[in-house]
Amino acid sequence: MDTFALVVTIGVALFFTYTNGFHDSANAIATSVSTRALTPRAALAMAAVMNLAGAFLGSGVAKTVSEGLIETPEGSKGMGILFAALVGAIVWNLITWYFGLPSSSSHALFGGMVGAALAGSTTVYWHGVVDKVVIPMFVSPVIGLVAGYLVMTAIMWMFRRANPHKAKRGFRIAQTVSAAGMALGHGLQDAQKTMGIVVMALVIADVEDYGDPIPVWVKIACALMLSLGTYAGGWRIMRTLGRKIIELDPPQGFAAETTGASIMFGSAFLFHAPISTTHVITSAIMGVGATKRVNAVRWGVAKNIIMGWFITMPAAAVVAACCYWLVDLVVL
């Protein structure tokens, strides 16, 4: 039974990573597709490869997820909590994907973990949740907005005398690099979140000891599932990010992607903070768009997206708690 529970939980974790890939692939490539710097298929293939590479760049975020948010629960109850947390996150991912809302897979997962832990009477490290999840959730979009505005302002000033057609062509080429950086950052951040969950499952099943390094097969499995999900593509969300917030041109796309990628690398390597790719790129697009004129950004769409951010963690927590009670009733 224990081995079966472990296999099921790891399977559900990998499926979550797959939904994360097709849900968040838009973050990495929507801007470069909407500016026609890359064709959708080329962009998805590039993003899938960079996601795979990014997953191997570090393990700080995985450590935060596996050790810093909830106490590692024990036995079949612990496995039930992880299973419920993942189901809560997957359900919320599918709902927001269906409606084309770029909500955060990361915060769906964290909400699921907290909801399932509370339902299963397991300790939640609230200081860890506040320091590593809630504060970055509010700070990273503000930084994205301001940095996007400043980067775009700097680009406009530096290229103020350039031939507009030549500059656009140059930035279209440069966008292939910035989009790759964005996808690399997505792999670095999001594959590690699932690695953290799988490591917790292995510790609960006594296959690994607390604090052991992440097994290579876990890294490969999580990276591959994220890449496959990314290649499957999330067209609904891509339309929202690429076109509905603001129509971008190549210099703006480059500025937004460079800003987003820099914030993701900084937060992963400096603070080991699992931030949301969605929050960062969306706010960077808004900041870049505001350099045209403030009303060039479709703030109504932006408002709906921001509302989704606030709802994500509590909604995933409620779904996960209900799922845990159901598992407790039927299985445990």
Side-chain angles (χ1 to χ4, degrees), residues 1-6 8-9 75-81 83-84 87 322-332:
M1 179 60 191
D2 286 349
T3 309
F4 177 72
L6 175 64
V8 168
T9 304
S76 56
K77 174 185 157 183
M79 213 59 89
I81 287 171
F83 176 81
V87 170
C322 293
C323 179
Y324 177 77
W325 289 321
L326 196 64
V327 169
D328 192 32
L329 203 66
V330 177
V331 182
L332 300 180

Side-chain angles (χ1 to χ4, degrees), residues 32 51 81 102 114 128 151 161 175 183 204 235 261 269 289-290 308 312 331:
S32 49
N51 273 180
I81 287 171
V114 170
V151 168
R161 293 194 179 92
Q175 255 201 286
I204 291 167
W235 302 107
F269 288 124
T312 293
V331 182

